[in-house]
Amino acid sequence: MTETLLPTTVVGSYPQPDWLVDRAVLAQNLVPRVRMKGMWRVAEDALEGAQDDATLLAIRDMERAGIDIVTDGEIRRESYSNRFALALDGVDLDNPARTMGRAGKETMVPRVVGPIRRTRPVEVRDVEFLVANTERRTKITLPGPFTMSQQAYDEHYRDEEAMAMDYAVAVNEEARDLKAAGIDIIQIDEPWMQARPEAAARFGVRALNRALEGLEGDTVVHLCFGYAAVVKEKPSGYSFLPQLADCTAAQISIEAAQPKLDLSVLDELSGKTIMLGVIDLGSAEVETPEVVAGRIRAALERLPAERLVVAPDCGMKYLPRARAFGKLRAMAEGAAIVRRELQG
């Protein structure tokens, strides 16, 4: 992933500034599947420039905190998935459907009314902006095909797997363009594999592998139990994780701090690099570097340092910015403590 031992990164998102988004609106519509234009405080004709400015702030915060692999903070996104998912053909944006969300609450989702097709680049400019504004290694995230198939209401395919495979083709086309634009690492976000393990077992890995097909360089798949702002109580084990040993992603990203994950599951992913969550985003307390170092040491009892990447549990979108920065800085300092121990 990088020449640095125990490299640090973020899962993807970083808090958007209060002058850019209305956090009250965001809190009422956590993780929207359809458009949520009302969350933006800036007029539409000035929005892109404001998002650029806020993206620079996110990049600089990550750099100041000491993060080795940076993202654009997903500042331009209303949610981790809807920016890409709603840019595809075959989706009715104007007449959403109601379905049950991952947290067990009714939510609005896009209706799939035709073949899912990608007709244009969606995140290429985001990558170009990121690469142009940092000297560090870079990562961009895309919603996974399985997750997008679970976040939509199918009125066309009548076949979950067929729809997921078309989403996979769209993700693959986008990922190829993102690599060409200069990104170092592509991460596919698949939290719904944990939420719906039976369906994931049927076709989730196959769809993921299609999304990653032919990609050169580092690739990651991220699974989690949900944002800490949405899911307060989390199990100590994943319902779907060992199955990812068969996926083509080089790296598996999991959360471990808030759920106090039983790290014995890492034994079943012996061929993968693990991007391990060592920052609890459900706690208002900013961890000390020593606490972070202890969590890293626990992981090193299960895998070598060369196969460990250090990260927060999940995206940091819903945290106050000062808390997010403090947690990232503690994470970088904790990794540095263990790095020095390993290097003698």
Side-chain angles (χ1 to χ4, degrees):
M1 293 290 294
T2 173
E3 294 179 1
T4 301
L5 193 65
L6 301 177
T8 56
T9 189
V10 294
V11 169
S13 63
Y14 191 72
Q16 294 151 310
D18 291 345
W19 53 259
L20 181 64
V21 301
D22 187 329
R23 289 195 166 271
V25 173
L26 189 60
Q28 294 170 2
N29 301 273
L30 289 173
V31 203
R33 315 298 183 212
V34 295
R35 287 301 313 274
M36 193 171 66
K37 293 182 179 180
M39 68 174 265
W40 301 107
R41 289 185 180 274
V42 178
E44 193 158 355
D45 62 352
L47 184 57
E48 185 174 78
Q51 291 170 338
D52 285 352
D53 290 346
T55 299
L56 281 175
L57 292 175
I59 294 170
R60 297 294 172 259
D61 269 11
M62 291 180 218
E63 291 175 337
R64 288 192 306 118
I67 301 304
D68 300 302
I69 303 164
V70 303
T71 73
D72 68 345
E74 299 180 4
I75 298 299
R76 299 176 180 86
R77 305 189 195 187
E78 293 164 0
S79 76
Y80 73 96
S81 60
N82 78 346
R83 178 170 170 81
F84 182 76
L86 301 184
L88 303 176
D89 266 11
V91 179
D92 185 342
L93 305 182
D94 300 320
N95 301 288
R98 292 183 179 274
T99 189
M100 196 61 64
R102 184 181 180 187
K105 297 179 181 179
E106 191 176 66
T107 187
M108 304 291 286
V109 298
R111 293 188 306 120
V112 174
V113 295
I116 295 295
R117 297 288 185 268
R118 173 186 176 271
T119 59
R120 61 178 177 84
V122 181
E123 298 180 19
V124 166
R125 183 182 178 275
D126 303 356
V127 163
E128 291 171 343
F129 188 89
L130 171 61
V131 170
N133 283 289
T134 186
E135 297 297 320
R136 304 197 182 186
R137 297 205 77 202
T138 56
K139 180 173 72 174
I140 196 75
T141 68
L142 286 167
F146 179 82
T147 289
M148 284 190 287
S149 75
Q150 304 302 298
Q151 292 181 347
Y153 188 79
D154 176 23
E155 293 184 359
H156 172 73
Y157 291 90
R158 311 298 181 184
D159 182 327
E160 274 189 315
E161 181 174 353
M163 182 168 67
M165 295 308 290
D166 274 359
Y167 272 120
V169 171
V171 171
N172 184 258
E173 292 172 352
E174 179 78 4
R176 287 170 182 264
D177 281 352
L178 299 180
K179 290 298 294 186
I183 203 71
D184 293 310
I185 302 161
I186 291 177
Q187 177 179 303
I188 307 297
D189 290 334
E190 284 285 16
W192 279 72
M193 285 187 176
Q194 156 65 26
R196 293 185 176 167
E198 295 84 5
R202 293 199 308 273
F203 59 87
V205 173
R206 188 158 50 252
L208 175 63
N209 286 346
R210 178 63 184 89
L212 297 172
E213 188 175 293
L215 292 183
E216 297 180 359
D218 296 316
T219 54
V220 186
V221 57
H222 170 69
L223 271 72
C224 66
F225 300 105
Y227 286 109
V230 180
V231 183
K232 308 297 183 183
E233 301 297 327
K234 299 186 178 184
S236 61
Y238 275 84
S239 62
F240 189 92
L241 190 62
Q243 297 90 332
L244 291 177
D246 297 327
C247 81
T248 56
Q251 186 179 155
I252 311 298
S253 166
I254 55 179
E255 66 169 306
Q258 183 184 4
K260 297 179 174 58
L261 188 72
D262 179 355
L263 295 181
S264 64
V265 72
L266 301 182
D267 299 343
E268 301 183 67
L269 298 169
S270 59
K272 302 296 185 183
T273 293
I274 301 300
M275 186 176 130
L276 190 71
V278 298
I279 296 294
D280 180 353
L281 303 184
S283 170
E285 183 180 355
V286 173
E287 289 89 340
T288 66
E290 290 74 20
V291 166
V292 174
R295 291 171 180 169
I296 295 171
R297 293 188 196 105
L300 292 178
E301 295 177 7
R302 296 284 180 178
L303 76 170
E306 292 77 15
R307 286 181 42 225
L308 182 61
V309 177
V310 178
D313 272 354
C314 194
M316 306 185 89
K317 180 184 182 80
Y318 298 103
L319 271 65
R321 185 176 164 198
R323 184 188 304 167
F325 178 80
K327 284 177 175 280
L328 286 187
R329 183 164 57 186
M331 186 179 78
E333 291 174 357
I337 290 171
V338 181
R339 196 178 298 130
R340 288 192 296 269
E341 293 170 353
L342 294 172
Q343 293 172 338

